[in-house]
């Protein structure tokens, strides 16, 4: 029905008068007047751009009527941005100022496509290629290098982003422009996205419910897919990575081509890793994993319509570690392990009117999660029974104990109103329809249907020194689940332990039919105090409806070794956050201070009851008010005339407490990271883009722990790396080498789920990457 409505909408606007404009010009160096080669000219709202030729010339066609921001960027120059009126302007010559500050990029995760320096909300943005240069094994490992972001890990194959102390269902992940739904409530479930084919990562720290609805209470991790080739260009790429610690490898091949209107790209990747080795030389049994990933896209664009169809298939086989046992470098997971298939199909359409536009995004996801495990038997049996059990165990390898299918359809419709004076305004409607279906013997959450609907409005007001942005949103979520009867074997056992009868011991789950409503808003301001100093203040509310696990759990979770009991009377989590940011920058020095205070009403958490069921400790979901506070401080020095030299330092801290004074669990320890980096751009040499770095991350003791956590000692991790790019006729080859934890420090992260078993994190890892570009 929704697809039919969207089709009718497209047909209705098809008679719009066709408007076509061409934009051309020349980019020069302001200091010397010489042309700038390979400068990037880009219209973020249109998704169109070009690169300058050897003479500094560029040309972009099929631009619709209206006012659009153009961004011009090049390495070694300050990024230029301005708004261009069409059809009034057809030619523009721009002189770029030299600057040692890295190129600024347009922020996609916020609604008005501003540069970071122009944005009312501070958003961290990193290119995935830069994160990979530092030796990241996975995408989760890479994003943990961003200030204010950590990773909740189970070995190296499973990682969940933690933004300022909040994770799982409190952090939304967006990919291909749609929200990623892959049962992220589970501690033992990772992102399910390969870093290959992801161009950049943006992080919104704090409640973003105004833009994204429920579950964005802690922030948003926004993954931007790689761009298509420039018009009338064809590119290909192949890259290989090797990781010494896991004896792992990753390979990827890509091809893309674009005509004047039609675009296409495809990428295939494969990765495999053995059990990782700690600083003491032990391999952590069954932390091995492998991943197959395929991404493709087809795009079409003219002066009145733009569409982008993307598809991503990811298949992961991930071992679930339980203890350190047999030492092996095999790459096939042992029992227990997960097999996860994730399909993401997205369609992004944009229709251009005179000075306004409509964005329509539709996403479909299919997540198939299987878990295979051994069957344990405690009683003695006859030979015939043991033989039958052995056969049953063999069959269990082919038949998962747990199998869950999660299907999600989501849509996002935004109308960008015509600009009136200094105002830009967006009206939007978002929604989601999701079904969870069980097929295995075990059950974590019941069969259920979740439906979301949200409507919002946001506006941006611009003055010479002041920028204001605000909005309001209404959301409705309905959760309808089926009842689950007690397990037959448990029911037959009756009173399995005298004096310990509890309703939840039967494994029975009652049906849920609950609706959750919330109204949220945000208001922010940015003020340019001087040409070098700016300040941002943001106030925002957010909400999160309880998830199915919190509402319906009533059983043992073997991955976490505990018996969890849900509560169907749980309320929405509702929060209010204040963010203050100061930023100072000139051509050779940058510094920032970010502070936040996040108050959460009805914070949901697990509380131990002191009981045991099936030899597992019982934890019940409950609620209490909580608060988190802290921030980040950073500086970046690149002194003149040594523009090739970069000194970077950042400090991050967060504290989380319940209103009774007890600390929240899984709060990352304070840390400080110092990096000494050199970069050389030498166009006349065969080796270009040369770089080298030394990085030291010091993590402090974490003594502020919850009632069922233990403290974690501090540690320091030293890393180094170097690389460069070789030009060979029409091809380029990039080589990079990096070493993390080069001193082979034996340590345990406070956010490691293997910490209760005393299992250390990964030791020294040397990675080598080679990439060919055609």
């Amino acid at each position: 029905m929704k697809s039919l409505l969207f089709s009718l909408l497209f047909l209705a606007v098809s008679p719009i008068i066709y408007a076509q404009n061409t934009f051309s010009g020349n980019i020069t160096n302001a200091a010397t007047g010489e042309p700038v080669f390979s400068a990037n000219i880009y219209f973020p709202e249109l998704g169109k751009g070009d690169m300058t030729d050897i003479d500094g010339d560029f040309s972009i066609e099929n631009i619709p009527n209206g006012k659009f921001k153009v961004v011009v960027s090049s390495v070694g120059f300050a990024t230029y941005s301005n708004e261009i009126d069409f059809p009034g302007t057809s030619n523009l010559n721009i002189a770029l100022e030299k600057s040692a500050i890295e190129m600024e990029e347009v922020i996609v995760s916020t609604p008005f496509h501003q540069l970071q320096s122009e944005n009312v909300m501070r958003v961290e943005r990193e290119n995935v290629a830069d994160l990979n240069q530092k030796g990241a094994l996975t995408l989760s490992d890479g994003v943990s290098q961003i200030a204010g972001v950590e990773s909740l890990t189970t070995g190296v194959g499973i990682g969940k982003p933690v933004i300022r102390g909040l994770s799982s269902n409190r952090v939304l992940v967006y990919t291909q422009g749609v929200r990623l739904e892959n049962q992220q409530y589970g501690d033992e479930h990772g992102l399910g996205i390969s870093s290959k084919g992801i161009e950049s990562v943006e992080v919104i720290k704090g409640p973003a419910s105004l833009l994204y609805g429920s579950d964005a209470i802690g922030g948003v991790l926004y993954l931007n897919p790689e761009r298509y080739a420039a018009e009338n260009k064809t590119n290909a790429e192949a890259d290989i990575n090797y990781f010494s610690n896991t004896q792992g490898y990753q390979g990827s091949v890509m091809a893309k081509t674009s005509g004047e209107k039609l675009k296409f790209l495809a990428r295939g990747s494969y990765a495999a890793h053995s059990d990782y080795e700690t600083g003491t030389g032990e391999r952590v049994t069954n932390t091995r994993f492998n991943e197959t990933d395929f991404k493709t896209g087809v795009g079409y664009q003219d002066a009145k319509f733009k569409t982008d169809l993307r598809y991503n298939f990811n298949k992961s086989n991930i071992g679930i570690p339980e203890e350190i046992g047999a030492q092996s470098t095999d790459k096939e997971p042992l029992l227990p392990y997960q097999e996860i298939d994730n399909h993401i199909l997205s369609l992004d359409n944009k229709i251009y009117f005179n000075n306004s536009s409509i964005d329509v995004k539709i996403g479909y996801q299919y997540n198939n999660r299987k878990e295979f495990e051994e069957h344990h038997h405690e009683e003695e049996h006859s030979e015939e029974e043991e033989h039958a059990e052995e056969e049953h165990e063999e069959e269990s390898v082919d038949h998962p104990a747990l199998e869950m299918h999660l299907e999600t359809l989501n849509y996002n419709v935004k109308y960008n109103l015509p600009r009136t004076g200094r105002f830009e305004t967006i009206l939007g409607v978002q929604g989601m329809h999701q079904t969870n279906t069980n097929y295995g013997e075990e059950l974590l959450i019941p069969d259920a249907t979740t439906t979301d609907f949200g409507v919002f409005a946001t506006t941006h007001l611009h003055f010479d020194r002041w920028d204001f942005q605000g909005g309001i949103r209404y959301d409705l979520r309905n959760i309808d689940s089926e009842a689950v009867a007690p397990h037959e074997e448990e029911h037959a056992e009756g009173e399995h332990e005298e004096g310990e009868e509890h309703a939840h011991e039967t494994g029975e789950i009652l049906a849920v039919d609950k609706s959750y409503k919330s109204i949220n808003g945000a208001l922010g301001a940015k003020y340019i105090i001087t040409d070098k100093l700016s300040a941002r203040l943001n106030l925002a509310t957010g909400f999160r409806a309880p998830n199915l696990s919190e509402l319906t759990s009533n059983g043992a979770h073997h991955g976490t070794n505990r018996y969890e009991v849900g509560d169907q009377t749980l309320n929405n989590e509702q929060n209010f956050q204040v963010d203050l940011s100061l930023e100072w920058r000139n051509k050779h020095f940058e510094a920032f201070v970010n502070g936040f205070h996040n108050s959460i009403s009805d914070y949901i958490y697990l509380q131990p009851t002191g009981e045991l069921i099936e030899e597992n400790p019982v934890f019940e979901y409950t609620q209490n008010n909580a608060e988190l506070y802290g921030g980040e401080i950073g500086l970046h020095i690149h002194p003149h005339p040594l523009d090739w030299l970069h000194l970077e330092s950042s400090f991050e801290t967060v504290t989380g407490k319940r209103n009774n004074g007890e600390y929240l669990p899984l709060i990352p320890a304070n840390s400080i990271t110092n990096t000494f980096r050199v970069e050389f751009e030498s166009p006349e040499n065969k080796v270009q883009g040369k770089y080298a770095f030394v990085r030291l991350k010091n993590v402090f003791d974490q003594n502020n722990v919850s009632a069922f956590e233990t403290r974690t000692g501090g540690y320091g991790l030293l890393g180094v790396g170097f690389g460069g790019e070789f030009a060979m006729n029409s091809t380029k080859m990039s080589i990079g080498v990096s070493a993390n934890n080069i001193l082979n420090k034996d340590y345990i992260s406070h956010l490691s789920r293997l910490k209760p078993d005393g299992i250390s994190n990964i030791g020294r890892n040397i990675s080598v990457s080679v990439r060919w570009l055609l």
Side-chain angles (χ1 to χ4, degrees), residues 410-425:
N410 41 35
Y411 58 90
N412 186 351
V413 182
K414 294 190 296 185
Y415 178 46
N416 301 276
L417 276 68
R419 301 186 187 189
T420 56
R422 298 178 181 270
F423 282 93
E424 295 178 75
T425 303

PDB file of all heavy atoms in Angstrom, residues 410-425:
ATOM      1  N   ASN A 410      10.877   0.308   6.638  1.00  0.00           N
ATOM      2  CA  ASN A 410      10.791   1.666   7.170  1.00  0.00           C
ATOM      3  C   ASN A 410      10.749   2.685   6.044  1.00  0.00           C
ATOM      4  O   ASN A 410      11.193   2.430   4.924  1.00  0.00           O
ATOM      5  CB  ASN A 410      11.921   1.979   8.164  1.00  0.00           C
ATOM      6  CG  ASN A 410      13.264   1.433   7.740  1.00  0.00           C
ATOM      7  OD1 ASN A 410      13.579   1.388   6.563  1.00  0.00           O
ATOM      8  ND2 ASN A 410      14.054   1.006   8.705  1.00  0.00           N
ATOM      9  N   TYR A 411      10.167   3.838   6.353  1.00  0.00           N
ATOM     10  CA  TYR A 411      10.017   4.901   5.365  1.00  0.00           C
ATOM     11  C   TYR A 411      10.285   6.233   6.037  1.00  0.00           C
ATOM     12  O   TYR A 411      10.111   6.401   7.252  1.00  0.00           O
ATOM     13  CB  TYR A 411       8.617   4.883   4.736  1.00  0.00           C
ATOM     14  CG  TYR A 411       7.485   5.023   5.721  1.00  0.00           C
ATOM     15  CD1 TYR A 411       6.986   6.277   6.079  1.00  0.00           C
ATOM     16  CD2 TYR A 411       6.910   3.904   6.321  1.00  0.00           C
ATOM     17  CE1 TYR A 411       5.959   6.416   6.987  1.00  0.00           C
ATOM     18  CE2 TYR A 411       5.877   4.030   7.235  1.00  0.00           C
ATOM     19  CZ  TYR A 411       5.402   5.284   7.560  1.00  0.00           C
ATOM     20  OH  TYR A 411       4.390   5.420   8.477  1.00  0.00           O
ATOM     21  N   ASN A 412      10.713   7.190   5.235  1.00  0.00           N
ATOM     22  CA  ASN A 412      11.050   8.526   5.724  1.00  0.00           C
ATOM     23  C   ASN A 412      10.743   9.509   4.600  1.00  0.00           C
ATOM     24  O   ASN A 412      11.387   9.482   3.547  1.00  0.00           O
ATOM     25  CB  ASN A 412      12.528   8.581   6.115  1.00  0.00           C
ATOM     26  CG  ASN A 412      12.913   9.897   6.757  1.00  0.00           C
ATOM     27  OD1 ASN A 412      12.137  10.844   6.781  1.00  0.00           O
ATOM     28  ND2 ASN A 412      14.128   9.968   7.275  1.00  0.00           N
ATOM     29  N   VAL A 413       9.733  10.355   4.800  1.00  0.00           N
ATOM     30  CA  VAL A 413       9.317  11.338   3.796  1.00  0.00           C
ATOM     31  C   VAL A 413       9.546  12.730   4.368  1.00  0.00           C
ATOM     32  O   VAL A 413       9.036  13.061   5.448  1.00  0.00           O
ATOM     33  CB  VAL A 413       7.838  11.158   3.411  1.00  0.00           C
ATOM     34  CG1 VAL A 413       7.443  12.170   2.332  1.00  0.00           C
ATOM     35  CG2 VAL A 413       7.580   9.739   2.928  1.00  0.00           C
ATOM     36  N   LYS A 414      10.324  13.537   3.666  1.00  0.00           N
ATOM     37  CA  LYS A 414      10.607  14.903   4.121  1.00  0.00           C
ATOM     38  C   LYS A 414      10.308  15.896   3.009  1.00  0.00           C
ATOM     39  O   LYS A 414      10.672  15.678   1.851  1.00  0.00           O
ATOM     40  CB  LYS A 414      12.075  15.037   4.542  1.00  0.00           C
ATOM     41  CG  LYS A 414      12.458  14.229   5.757  1.00  0.00           C
ATOM     42  CD  LYS A 414      13.840  14.573   6.265  1.00  0.00           C
ATOM     43  CE  LYS A 414      14.918  14.238   5.263  1.00  0.00           C
ATOM     44  NZ  LYS A 414      16.272  14.451   5.788  1.00  0.00           N
ATOM     45  N   TYR A 415       9.658  16.980   3.385  1.00  0.00           N
ATOM     46  CA  TYR A 415       9.396  18.067   2.446  1.00  0.00           C
ATOM     47  C   TYR A 415      10.231  19.268   2.861  1.00  0.00           C
ATOM     48  O   TYR A 415      10.071  19.817   3.939  1.00  0.00           O
ATOM     49  CB  TYR A 415       7.919  18.429   2.436  1.00  0.00           C
ATOM     50  CG  TYR A 415       7.577  19.592   1.522  1.00  0.00           C
ATOM     51  CD1 TYR A 415       8.080  19.656   0.217  1.00  0.00           C
ATOM     52  CD2 TYR A 415       6.756  20.625   1.957  1.00  0.00           C
ATOM     53  CE1 TYR A 415       7.780  20.718  -0.619  1.00  0.00           C
ATOM     54  CE2 TYR A 415       6.449  21.692   1.120  1.00  0.00           C
ATOM     55  CZ  TYR A 415       6.963  21.732  -0.161  1.00  0.00           C
ATOM     56  OH  TYR A 415       6.660  22.783  -1.001  1.00  0.00           O
ATOM     57  N   ASN A 416      11.159  19.657   1.983  1.00  0.00           N
ATOM     58  CA  ASN A 416      11.995  20.824   2.210  1.00  0.00           C
ATOM     59  C   ASN A 416      11.262  22.044   1.662  1.00  0.00           C
ATOM     60  O   ASN A 416      11.198  22.246   0.439  1.00  0.00           O
ATOM     61  CB  ASN A 416      13.342  20.664   1.503  1.00  0.00           C
ATOM     62  CG  ASN A 416      14.088  19.433   1.988  1.00  0.00           C
ATOM     63  OD1 ASN A 416      14.771  19.454   2.997  1.00  0.00           O
ATOM     64  ND2 ASN A 416      13.941  18.335   1.249  1.00  0.00           N
ATOM     65  N   LEU A 417      10.679  22.842   2.548  1.00  0.00           N
ATOM     66  CA  LEU A 417       9.849  23.977   2.140  1.00  0.00           C
ATOM     67  C   LEU A 417      10.681  25.038   1.433  1.00  0.00           C
ATOM     68  O   LEU A 417      11.899  25.136   1.663  1.00  0.00           O
ATOM     69  CB  LEU A 417       9.168  24.602   3.362  1.00  0.00           C
ATOM     70  CG  LEU A 417       7.863  23.970   3.835  1.00  0.00           C
ATOM     71  CD1 LEU A 417       8.096  22.582   4.401  1.00  0.00           C
ATOM     72  CD2 LEU A 417       7.176  24.852   4.871  1.00  0.00           C
ATOM     73  N   PRO A 418      10.032  25.842   0.581  1.00  0.00           N
ATOM     74  CA  PRO A 418      10.759  26.970  -0.023  1.00  0.00           C
ATOM     75  C   PRO A 418      11.310  27.888   1.058  1.00  0.00           C
ATOM     76  O   PRO A 418      10.679  28.102   2.101  1.00  0.00           O
ATOM     77  CB  PRO A 418       9.665  27.692  -0.846  1.00  0.00           C
ATOM     78  CG  PRO A 418       8.626  26.647  -1.093  1.00  0.00           C
ATOM     79  CD  PRO A 418       8.645  25.767   0.109  1.00  0.00           C
ATOM     80  N   ARG A 419      12.506  28.388   0.837  1.00  0.00           N
ATOM     81  CA  ARG A 419      13.119  29.249   1.825  1.00  0.00           C
ATOM     82  C   ARG A 419      12.389  30.586   1.881  1.00  0.00           C
ATOM     83  O   ARG A 419      12.037  31.167   0.850  1.00  0.00           O
ATOM     84  CB  ARG A 419      14.591  29.481   1.491  1.00  0.00           C
ATOM     85  CG  ARG A 419      15.391  28.204   1.435  1.00  0.00           C
ATOM     86  CD  ARG A 419      16.855  28.464   1.252  1.00  0.00           C
ATOM     87  NE  ARG A 419      17.575  27.218   1.039  1.00  0.00           N
ATOM     88  CZ  ARG A 419      18.900  27.125   1.011  1.00  0.00           C
ATOM     89  NH1 ARG A 419      19.641  28.198   1.166  1.00  0.00           N
ATOM     90  NH2 ARG A 419      19.488  25.964   0.804  1.00  0.00           N
ATOM     91  N   THR A 420      12.157  31.069   3.095  1.00  0.00           N
ATOM     92  CA  THR A 420      11.518  32.358   3.303  1.00  0.00           C
ATOM     93  C   THR A 420      12.461  33.221   4.121  1.00  0.00           C
ATOM     94  O   THR A 420      12.642  32.999   5.321  1.00  0.00           O
ATOM     95  CB  THR A 420      10.170  32.197   4.026  1.00  0.00           C
ATOM     96  OG1 THR A 420      10.379  31.490   5.245  1.00  0.00           O
ATOM     97  CG2 THR A 420       9.185  31.418   3.164  1.00  0.00           C
ATOM     98  N   GLY A 421      13.096  34.179   3.473  1.00  0.00           N
ATOM     99  CA  GLY A 421      14.057  35.022   4.160  1.00  0.00           C
ATOM    100  C   GLY A 421      15.229  34.223   4.666  1.00  0.00           C
ATOM    101  O   GLY A 421      15.926  33.531   3.913  1.00  0.00           O
ATOM    102  N   ARG A 422      15.436  34.231   5.974  1.00  0.00           N
ATOM    103  CA  ARG A 422      16.556  33.526   6.591  1.00  0.00           C
ATOM    104  C   ARG A 422      16.169  32.138   7.098  1.00  0.00           C
ATOM    105  O   ARG A 422      16.967  31.464   7.730  1.00  0.00           O
ATOM    106  CB  ARG A 422      17.102  34.353   7.757  1.00  0.00           C
ATOM    107  CG  ARG A 422      17.664  35.718   7.334  1.00  0.00           C
ATOM    108  CD  ARG A 422      18.138  36.500   8.555  1.00  0.00           C
ATOM    109  NE  ARG A 422      18.647  37.804   8.185  1.00  0.00           N
ATOM    110  CZ  ARG A 422      19.908  38.072   7.866  1.00  0.00           C
ATOM    111  NH1 ARG A 422      20.791  37.100   7.862  1.00  0.00           N
ATOM    112  NH2 ARG A 422      20.282  39.297   7.564  1.00  0.00           N
ATOM    113  N   PHE A 423      14.940  31.708   6.829  1.00  0.00           N
ATOM    114  CA  PHE A 423      14.449  30.435   7.356  1.00  0.00           C
ATOM    115  C   PHE A 423      14.563  29.304   6.335  1.00  0.00           C
ATOM    116  O   PHE A 423      14.241  29.482   5.155  1.00  0.00           O
ATOM    117  CB  PHE A 423      12.969  30.559   7.771  1.00  0.00           C
ATOM    118  CG  PHE A 423      12.752  31.252   9.077  1.00  0.00           C
ATOM    119  CD1 PHE A 423      12.516  32.625   9.114  1.00  0.00           C
ATOM    120  CD2 PHE A 423      12.785  30.547  10.273  1.00  0.00           C
ATOM    121  CE1 PHE A 423      12.309  33.274  10.320  1.00  0.00           C
ATOM    122  CE2 PHE A 423      12.578  31.190  11.476  1.00  0.00           C
ATOM    123  CZ  PHE A 423      12.335  32.555  11.502  1.00  0.00           C
ATOM    124  N   GLU A 424      15.027  28.128   6.836  1.00  0.00           N
ATOM    125  CA  GLU A 424      14.909  26.870   6.115  1.00  0.00           C
ATOM    126  C   GLU A 424      14.090  25.932   6.998  1.00  0.00           C
ATOM    127  O   GLU A 424      14.396  25.777   8.179  1.00  0.00           O
ATOM    128  CB  GLU A 424      16.273  26.238   5.865  1.00  0.00           C
ATOM    129  CG  GLU A 424      17.198  27.010   4.967  1.00  0.00           C
ATOM    130  CD  GLU A 424      18.540  26.296   4.828  1.00  0.00           C
ATOM    131  OE1 GLU A 424      18.597  25.282   4.108  1.00  0.00           O
ATOM    132  OE2 GLU A 424      19.494  26.742   5.477  1.00  0.00           O
ATOM    133  N   THR A 425      13.071  25.292   6.429  1.00  0.00           N
ATOM    134  CA  THR A 425      12.173  24.463   7.222  1.00  0.00           C
ATOM    135  C   THR A 425      11.929  23.130   6.537  1.00  0.00           C
ATOM    136  O   THR A 425      11.806  23.060   5.309  1.00  0.00           O
ATOM    137  CB  THR A 425      10.832  25.172   7.465  1.00  0.00           C
ATOM    138  OG1 THR A 425      11.073  26.421   8.104  1.00  0.00           O
ATOM    139  CG2 THR A 425       9.909  24.334   8.335  1.00  0.00           C
TER     140      THR A 425
END
